[in-house]
């Protein structure tokens, strides 16, 4: 059995969502920390859909997903990935 367990996932290095733009001074994790995490992860290369799955054109064929987000996390709104998975026929459970 395969599945995706995504807990407060960072799915898009572009950080263009409302939460990414507005949760800049939240206590535990904020935009600066998310930016640093992507910089450490990617180094000097550009993100591909394998590194930033929210950028993938086709999500069909992926395993079922459990996605959990935190209320004040800059990555929170990247959970729209769940809707894209559903549209691609992937079973999803989203907890926000």
């Amino acid at each position: 059995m395969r599945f995706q367990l995504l807990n407060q996932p960072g799915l898009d290095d572009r950080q263009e969502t409302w939460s990414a733009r507005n949760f800049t001074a939240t206590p535990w994790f904020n935009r600066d920390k998310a930016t640093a995490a992507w910089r450490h992860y990617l180094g000097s290369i550009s993100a591909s859909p394998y590194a930033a799955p929210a950028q993938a054109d086709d999500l069909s064929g992926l395993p079922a997903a459990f996605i959990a987000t935190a209320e004040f996390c800059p990555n929170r709104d990247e959970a729209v990935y769940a809707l894209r998975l559903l549209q691609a026929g992937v079973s999803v459970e989203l907890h926000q």
Side-chain angles (χ1 to χ4, degrees):
M1 174 181 236
R2 303 175 310 147
F3 76 100
Q4 301 176 70
L5 175 60
L6 305 171
N7 186 29
Q8 295 179 245
L11 301 167
D12 194 341
D13 67 308
R14 296 172 293 191
Q15 297 182 297
E16 296 173 345
T17 65
W18 184 92
S19 61
R21 290 189 317 271
N22 288 277
F23 296 145
T24 58
T26 46
W28 180 78
F29 194 66
N30 56 44
R31 184 181 176 94
D32 288 343
K33 289 179 181 177
T35 300
W38 279 108
R39 189 173 50 251
H40 289 295
Y41 178 56
L42 295 172
S44 61
I45 65 169
S46 296
S48 73
Y50 292 105
Q55 295 183 32
D57 292 328
D58 183 9
L59 300 176
S60 62
L62 290 175
F66 178 95
I67 303 173
T69 63
E71 184 175 1
F72 297 110
C73 179
N75 294 338
R76 182 194 70 192
D77 295 344
E78 292 177 28
V80 296
Y81 178 73
L83 296 174
R84 293 192 53 224
L85 287 169
L86 286 169
Q87 292 167 347
V90 177
S91 178
V92 176
E93 185 170 338
L94 172 62
H95 291 260
Q96 180 137 0

